[in-house]
Amino acid sequence: MVQKNKVTLEDISRKINISRTTIYKILNNKGKVSEETRRIVLETVREMNYVPNQAAKNLALNKQYNIAFSGFNSPQTPYTLNNLLKGTDWAAEEFKDYGLNLIYSLIDRGNRGEQIREIYKLAESGVDGFAIFPSQVEPMKKCINDLVDMGKYVVTVNKDVPDCRRHLYVGCDYYKSGILAAEVLARMIPPGQEIAVFLGGEGIEHMDITERYRGLTKKIGRFPSIKLLPPFKYDGNDPDKIKHFLTALLSENQNLGGIFDLTYELDLISRIVNKYNNKVRLVGFDLCDSVKNHMISHSIDAVVFQDMPAQGYLAVKHLYQFLSDSATAEIREESTKLEVVYEGNLEFYI
Amino acid sequence: MVQKNKVTLEDISRKINISRTTIYKILNNKGKVSEETRRIVLETVREMNYVPNQAAKNLALNKQYNIAFSGFNSPQTPYTLNNLLKGTDWAAEEFKDYGLNLIYSLIDRGNRGEQIREIYKLAESGVDGFAIFPSQVEPMKKCINDLVDMGKYVVTVNKDVPDCRRHLYVGCDYYKSGILAAEVLARMIPPGQEIAVFLGGEGIEHMDITERYRGLTKKIGRFPSIKLLPPFKYDGNDPDKIKHFLTALLSENQNLGGIFDLTYELDLISRIVNKYNNKVRLVGFDLCDSVKNHMISHSIDAVVFQDMPAQGYLAVKHLYQFLSDSATAEIREESTKLEVVYEGNLEFYI
DNA sequence: TTGTAAGCGTTATCAT
DNA sequence: ATGATAACGCTTACAA
């Protein structure tokens, strides 16, 4: 017969004539037990190969863990938030029968300040853990430290808040993300040609961009035959600036082999490149809808993708585990997978 | 307050003065219930927003589902099996408290015939579902049909057995896999250059190879400036044949831009290419250890990866769901994600 | 047709 | 220090 019956506390109890309760106490370090019984029990438990049944445990505990996901939406890029939410929904579904109660607090990018106020409100109304996708980095520091002082668990998602006492960051390593994208682009470029970089905002609020740029410059060093042009810095205000610079570049530089986008204006850049010269390779980040279309038309070559649903999922899952196991976190960061998307595997990323 | 208490059968029962059991019967279509009570119950259930608690359900059911994973190992490539097993282990862990009992039946490629005999034995000893990673395709057909006749659930993993009555295939779409690899390679090749293909075995036992080759030829059509050389056919017996052909090719063809490997001899090919000419791009499939090293040294450019752990996981998970929900499968195939691995994201695929 | 009661394995309270 | 006992929410014989 194939069946191997699971061992329960009751089985052990019967075998050594010690009550379930006592065995339970020993296994879970509750109350006082004599050394002698402890020894016997632990031995039997080991040799009978006892594995606790989580379903029964969850049922017996029957607690509620209130966890909040706080994030922001911006009309231009609902992409990030929507994908994080996919993952948090999965987690909510997976743990709903085991006491997870997930509350959403979503604000518009317009009123950034709201986010922090909402978080304080939630903390007072009994939320035990927070997954925060921060709309601002600097002002969030104090808020997070306050939460930790109140005994709450805090996980930052997708965008980290450095130098604060959050328990965990779940998101991609932007430096590595830059390295990977640089590699993908560099391999597409024949020796002797040049790469242009479009750089977005700088400073602590734009760690994603500065880190990716750092990764790029690092990696390109391994391709000595490829030259990196000085970056074009875009302040985010007037897309026409990109347009003018790029059209000039395309018409003047016959040696341009590729473009590396760090402005999140891949859509615009792709359109312009396509009009002028379709031999220039184009690599960027993330998969919003317009990007998908350009990939299908082959006008964007590849995109480095961070698995945002996984980030949302993991953030909530870890919070749930912090709260239910009340085990302290051993890790402080969880870097999620970086993937490369082409037209050929685009369908798996929708 | 944030907490929203979960509604239980007991809650509903108290509210409308109808026993838990009756409500249960109505919700699960067991036994006979009068139209009147049925109406009342369903209405209340809906307005109270009742959601059944899976943990309690699993605990109460307390059944065992015996599922077997049958696979083969080959000394040269323990890679595939090991990765499938990672996934099946996850599933076993995840569902162990909900009645999943996973049995492994692994044979050596040397005695292929064993696999089918072992499967019959398991079927007789009470296994309810089978995840099969087949060592041979053709002889497995009858075996699978027999299993289905015996009322067993059958899922093929990683390699399908066509024209049989298996319930589900979980694995990659090899045609799409070829398309993707072709795209990755083509984008790295300057116009006017050529691609050489190393082709492994043909016929029904090698669908993976023939399908990938079909994908390649299809996709290269979208890159009119790139020429595909007639494939070199390798019968799998004498690696020296590859060596001779390739060295000749490298020294004679100054126009060679890339190599597409379908022989699973990427290690050998990479070494030779590296010795002669490191400008030729090299793209292949799957991530065995030797390939990883070549990627780190930049001598293999990229590899198309099929998520084997996910395949193992999904196969077992679906079997478990078939058996526990006793719901018939609506899908007959599940294509797993195809990913592109470079040096820059290799660390996520170990 | 409807309801009672026991049981799944773990946890928590309260006696002894 | 140890154990009896009653939950947790759902399922299922079996009784009414």
Side-chain angles (χ1 to χ4, degrees):
Chain A
M1 224 17 215
V2 190
Q3 192 125 345
K4 61 174 175 199
N5 296 331
K6 298 171 303 183
V7 178
T8 72
L9 287 182
E10 180 65 27
D11 296 332
I12 304 175
S13 167
R14 269 200 305 271
K15 172 152 187 182
I16 56 180
N17 268 316
I18 296 182
S19 83
R20 285 203 307 259
T21 315
T22 306
I23 302 172
Y24 165 77
K25 281 176 185 158
I26 292 170
L27 292 175
N28 296 73
N29 295 313
K30 315 238 176 192
K32 308 240 171 213
V33 190
S34 81
E35 261 320 306
E36 177 60 6
T37 44
R38 164 182 228 85
R39 201 186 49 71
I40 299 177
V41 166
L42 285 179
E43 193 170 309
T44 325
V45 159
R46 200 159 24 75
E47 77 191 19
M48 290 186 75
N49 227 317
Y50 169 76
V51 183
N53 182 319
Q54 283 295 330
K57 177 173 182 165
N58 286 316
L59 183 59
L61 283 171
N62 194 34
K63 280 186 192 163
Q64 280 285 340
Y65 306 100
N66 294 311
I67 293 177
F69 175 87
S70 165
F72 70 97
N73 206 351
S74 65
Q76 307 97 319
T77 54
Y79 167 76
T80 305
L81 182 66
N82 287 340
N83 277 287
L84 292 174
L85 290 178
K86 262 188 220 167
T88 57
D89 284 347
W90 295 339
E93 172 65 20
E94 179 170 342
F95 299 110
K96 74 168 189 303
D97 293 323
Y98 311 109
L100 169 56
N101 181 210
L102 184 57
I103 300 132
Y104 289 105
S105 162
L106 307 176
I107 54 134
D108 264 0
R109 181 166 217 159
N111 28 6
R112 290 169 137 83
E114 282 296 306
Q115 186 178 28
I116 289 177
R117 278 195 293 280
E118 286 298 321
I119 289 176
Y120 280 116
K121 271 191 213 161
L122 289 166
E124 277 156 25
S125 77
V127 170
D128 316 299
F130 290 84
I132 302 177
F133 169 46
S135 61
Q136 312 160 274
V137 172
E138 197 54 41
M140 189 60 80
K141 286 185 186 175
K142 183 175 178 315
C143 173
I144 289 178
N145 286 337
D146 286 345
L147 289 175
V148 175
D149 286 336
M150 293 163 78
K152 314 291 188 185
Y153 275 103
V154 181
V155 177
T156 52
V157 191
N158 188 269
K159 191 172 213 170
D160 197 13
V161 176
D163 306 319
C164 73
R165 306 209 309 283
R166 55 141 181 78
H167 297 88
L168 178 65
Y169 163 63
V170 177
C172 84
D173 182 322
Y174 286 100
Y175 174 64
K176 286 179 184 165
S177 157
I179 286 194
L180 176 57
E183 181 185 355
V184 172
L185 182 56
R187 289 187 192 274
M188 292 195 280
I189 297 196
Q193 295 205 350
E194 298 173 340
I195 291 177
V197 189
F198 286 77
L199 203 53
E202 292 175 279
I204 190 171
E205 299 285 337
H206 301 279
M207 286 297 264
D208 50 341
I209 293 172
T210 49
E211 284 294 285
R212 278 174 173 157
Y213 184 60
R214 197 164 66 85
L216 167 74
T217 52
K218 167 81 179 180
K219 186 69 181 186
I220 288 297
R222 280 204 59 181
F223 297 85
S225 65
I226 295 174
K227 192 181 150 204
L228 204 58
L229 295 171
F232 171 77
K233 295 183 183 178
Y234 173 57
D235 59 10
N237 288 323
D238 180 9
D240 272 352
K241 290 183 187 165
I242 292 182
K243 190 173 173 184
H244 293 141
F245 177 82
L246 183 53
T247 45
L249 184 69
L250 287 168
S251 53
E252 287 162 22
N253 188 331
Q254 294 308 312
N255 229 3
L256 186 69
I259 291 175
F260 191 89
D261 175 56
L262 285 171
T263 60
Y264 298 109
E265 296 283 353
L266 203 49
D267 181 33
L268 172 64
I269 292 176
S270 163
R271 262 200 287 263
I272 299 170
V273 169
N274 222 24
K275 224 183 291 175
Y276 279 71
N277 176 344
N278 57 23
K279 274 179 214 139
V280 173
R281 301 301 184 179
L282 190 46
V283 169
F285 298 88
D286 297 337
L287 267 181
C288 53
D289 285 332
S290 62
V291 169
K292 286 177 195 165
N293 295 331
H294 289 303
M295 295 195 65
I296 290 169
S297 67
H298 273 208
S299 50
I300 291 175
D301 289 271
V303 141
V304 167
F305 170 84
Q306 50 172 320
D307 195 340
M308 291 169 181
Q311 293 170 9
Y313 172 81
L314 288 171
V316 174
K317 178 175 178 168
H318 279 128
L319 279 168
Y320 172 79
Q321 288 176 338
F322 287 157
L323 294 170
S324 60
D325 300 1
S326 74
T328 2
E330 334 73 61
I331 51 163
R332 303 249 323 149
E333 303 212 347
E334 170 143 358
S335 287
T336 52
K337 206 187 206 184
L338 294 167
E339 304 180 35
V340 186
V341 183
Y342 286 84
E343 188 210 348
N345 59 346
L346 184 57
E347 66 175 294
F348 301 108
Y349 295 85
I350 314 263
Chain B
M1 221 18 216
V2 189
Q3 192 124 346
K4 59 174 177 200
N5 295 333
K6 299 169 304 181
V7 179
T8 71
L9 288 182
E10 181 64 28
D11 295 333
I12 304 176
S13 167
R14 269 200 305 270
K15 174 152 186 181
I16 55 181
N17 267 318
I18 296 181
S19 83
R20 285 204 304 260
T21 314
T22 306
I23 303 173
Y24 165 78
K25 282 176 185 160
I26 292 171
L27 292 176
N28 297 73
N29 295 314
K30 316 239 175 190
K32 307 238 172 214
V33 190
S34 82
E35 260 322 305
E36 176 61 4
T37 44
R38 162 182 228 84
R39 200 187 49 70
I40 299 179
V41 166
L42 285 177
E43 194 170 308
T44 324
V45 159
R46 199 159 24 76
E47 78 191 18
M48 291 185 74
N49 226 317
Y50 169 75
V51 184
N53 182 320
Q54 282 296 330
K57 176 171 182 166
N58 287 316
L59 185 59
L61 281 171
N62 192 34
K63 278 186 193 163
Q64 281 285 339
Y65 306 100
N66 295 311
I67 293 177
F69 174 86
S70 164
F72 70 97
N73 205 351
S74 66
Q76 306 96 318
T77 54
Y79 167 75
T80 305
L81 181 66
N82 288 341
N83 277 286
L84 292 173
L85 291 178
K86 263 190 219 167
T88 56
D89 284 347
W90 295 340
E93 172 66 19
E94 179 170 342
F95 299 110
K96 74 168 186 306
D97 293 324
Y98 310 110
L100 169 56
N101 179 210
L102 185 58
I103 300 133
Y104 289 106
S105 161
L106 307 177
I107 54 133
D108 263 1
R109 182 165 218 161
N111 27 6
R112 290 169 136 83
E114 283 295 306
Q115 187 177 28
I116 289 178
R117 277 194 294 280
E118 286 297 321
I119 289 176
Y120 280 117
K121 271 191 213 163
L122 288 166
E124 277 156 27
S125 78
V127 170
D128 316 299
F130 290 85
I132 301 177
F133 169 45
S135 60
Q136 312 160 275
V137 172
E138 197 53 41
M140 189 61 81
K141 285 186 186 175
K142 182 174 180 313
C143 174
I144 290 178
N145 286 337
D146 286 345
L147 289 175
V148 175
D149 286 336
M150 292 164 79
K152 314 291 186 183
Y153 274 104
V154 181
V155 177
T156 51
V157 191
N158 187 270
K159 190 170 210 171
D160 196 14
V161 176
D163 306 319
C164 72
R165 307 207 312 280
R166 55 133 181 84
H167 297 89
L168 178 66
Y169 162 64
V170 177
C172 84
D173 182 321
Y174 287 100
Y175 175 63
K176 287 180 184 164
S177 158
I179 287 194
L180 175 57
E183 181 185 358
V184 172
L185 182 57
R187 289 188 192 274
M188 293 195 277
I189 297 197
Q193 295 204 351
E194 299 173 340
I195 291 178
V197 188
F198 286 77
L199 204 53
E202 291 175 279
I204 190 172
E205 299 285 338
H206 301 278
M207 284 298 263
D208 49 341
I209 294 173
T210 49
E211 283 296 284
R212 278 174 172 156
Y213 183 60
R214 197 164 67 86
L216 167 75
T217 51
K218 167 83 179 180
K219 185 70 180 185
I220 288 297
R222 279 205 59 182
F223 296 86
S225 66
I226 294 175
K227 192 183 151 203
L228 203 58
L229 294 172
F232 172 76
K233 295 184 183 177
Y234 174 56
D235 58 11
N237 287 323
D238 180 10
D240 271 351
K241 290 183 186 163
I242 293 183
K243 192 172 172 184
H244 293 141
F245 177 82
L246 183 53
T247 46
L249 184 69
L250 288 168
S251 53
E252 286 162 21
N253 187 330
Q254 294 308 312
N255 228 4
L256 186 68
I259 292 174
F260 191 89
D261 175 56
L262 285 171
T263 60
Y264 298 109
E265 297 282 353
L266 204 48
D267 181 33
L268 172 64
I269 293 175
S270 163
R271 262 200 288 262
I272 298 170
V273 169
N274 222 26
K275 225 183 290 177
Y276 280 72
N277 177 344
N278 56 24
K279 275 179 215 138
V280 172
R281 301 301 185 179
L282 189 47
V283 169
F285 298 88
D286 298 337
L287 266 181
C288 55
D289 284 332
S290 62
V291 169
K292 286 177 195 164
N293 294 331
H294 289 305
M295 295 195 65
I296 290 169
S297 66
H298 272 207
S299 51
I300 291 176
D301 289 271
V303 141
V304 166
F305 171 83
Q306 50 171 320
D307 196 339
M308 291 170 183
Q311 293 170 9
Y313 172 81
L314 288 171
V316 174
K317 180 176 177 167
H318 278 127
L319 278 169
Y320 172 79
Q321 289 177 338
F322 286 157
L323 294 171
S324 59
D325 300 2
S326 74
T328 3
E330 332 75 61
I331 52 164
R332 301 250 324 150
E333 304 212 346
E334 169 143 358
S335 287
T336 52
K337 207 189 206 181
L338 293 167
E339 305 182 35
V340 186
V341 183
Y342 286 83
E343 187 210 349
N345 60 347
L346 184 58
E347 67 175 292
F348 302 108
Y349 294 85
I350 315 263

